[in-house]
Amino acid sequence: MTESSEPLRDVIARHGLTASKALGQNFILDRQLLARIAAVPGIREGERVYEVGPGPGGLTRALLEAGAKVTAVERDRRCIPALEELSDAFAHRLQLIEGDALRIDEPEMVPGAHVVANLPYNVGTALLLKWLSGDMWPPWWRSLTLMFQKEVAERIVASPGSDAYGRLSVAVQWRCAARIAMTVNRSSFVPPPKVTSAIVHIVPGEQPAGVSPRTLERLTEAAFGQRRKMLRSSLKQLDGALKAAEIVGIDTQRRAETLSVAGWVSLARQLDA
């Protein structure tokens, strides 16, 4: 039996692996589910994929079987031997990097890659914000297909006026299109997490002209940090913000969650004018 056909449960047992709570690990063993996740971004033969936290390599194998060239970053050195076996089985289309994804310079290492990852819950949002931030746009990545707690996934795609709508919604939606591709029951994982998960697919779009990512971040941080307050109260700490709101016709008696993404973009543009 080759590594490419060996059940992942057997791979885990053979290498004596257990999911690390400290690293936020939960393994998916169902090959059909992993193949469905790998299919979400529509990867073509030979396209580059960047994976964070591959663990024993279940999703990695599905991506390789889909024809991708995979660069995988893994902190847990216990998993490296299993991943090296995968690299050997797939003609070295898998490049392994042992390290912390929060410290990787992706534009230099994996430009033009699709990012596909079952992200550890404890660093998922931090990694997403890292990949969304900065002035470089279009970004180095072609798409993001990421596993989150369902609650976080709902915040990413939330519409104005909903309880889930907030800073994360605006950070994603002002220059990307995002959708929930599927939900993943907790029973699909070993060990099962306490929450349901979801796969979010994000594709970069056009960046609105005249808007600084940092200004937008400052505005939403101030407003959603005090989301129970009216904008006239939460934004007064930012010089010029209330005047900018008056100029673009935003009623400052509203609360942050009622203002659309386009409204936040207009306010940020005016604040920088």
Side-chain angles (χ1 to χ4, degrees), residues 188-271:
S188 300
F189 297 88
V190 176
K194 296 180 179 179
V195 295
T196 299
S197 300
I199 300 291
V200 177
H201 184 55
I202 301 172
V203 178
E206 294 292 327
Q207 176 171 317
V211 180
S212 159
R214 179 57 188 145
T215 299
L216 190 63
E217 181 182 332
R218 287 170 54 229
L219 280 168
T220 55
E221 182 178 8
F224 287 104
Q226 304 179 71
R227 63 184 298 145
R228 292 182 178 274
K229 294 185 178 181
M230 296 179 184
L231 292 175
R232 67 184 182 189
S233 177
S234 59
L235 292 181
K236 66 183 180 182
Q237 60 187 288
L238 297 180
D239 289 343
L242 294 180
K243 181 63 175 179
E246 179 184 346
I247 292 172
V248 298
I250 294 173
D251 181 0
T252 57
Q253 295 189 71
R254 345 173 27 168
R255 290 182 171 83
E257 68 268 18
T258 69
L259 189 60
S260 69
V261 174
W264 287 112
V265 166
S266 295
L267 181 56
R269 181 184 292 116
Q270 182 59 46
L271 190 57

Side-chain angles (χ1 to χ4, degrees), residues 77-201:
R77 64 177 51 192
R78 299 176 307 151
C79 296
I80 298 300
L83 293 168
E84 288 176 338
E85 291 178 356
L86 266 183
S87 182
D88 293 340
F90 284 92
H92 302 284
R93 284 192 286 114
L94 170 60
Q95 176 189 6
L96 295 175
I97 300 169
E98 186 179 343
D100 184 347
L102 287 168
R103 296 191 172 101
I104 297 293
D105 182 7
E106 297 99 348
E108 178 71 24
M109 187 170 296
V110 283
H114 295 275
V115 181
V116 184
N118 173 12
L119 291 177
Y121 288 153
N122 55 359
V123 296
T125 302
L127 281 170
L128 175 62
L129 291 174
K130 173 190 175 187
W131 296 331
L132 290 170
S133 65
D135 295 321
M136 184 179 75
W137 206 263
W140 59 268
W141 46 270
R142 296 184 62 183
S143 70
L144 305 174
T145 302
L146 307 172
M147 178 92 72
F148 293 101
Q149 296 180 48
K150 188 179 178 184
E151 178 184 339
V152 175
E154 290 171 342
R155 286 165 52 202
I156 289 170
V157 304
S159 299
S162 67
D163 290 340
Y165 181 72
R167 290 177 60 196
L168 191 58
S169 318
V170 179
V172 174
Q173 295 176 36
W174 80 282
R175 52 183 180 178
C176 295
R179 66 183 178 91
I180 294 180
M182 69 178 78
T183 57
V184 183
N185 193 281
R186 55 188 298 274
S187 63
S188 300
F189 297 88
V190 176
K194 296 180 179 179
V195 295
T196 299
S197 300
I199 300 291
V200 177
H201 184 55

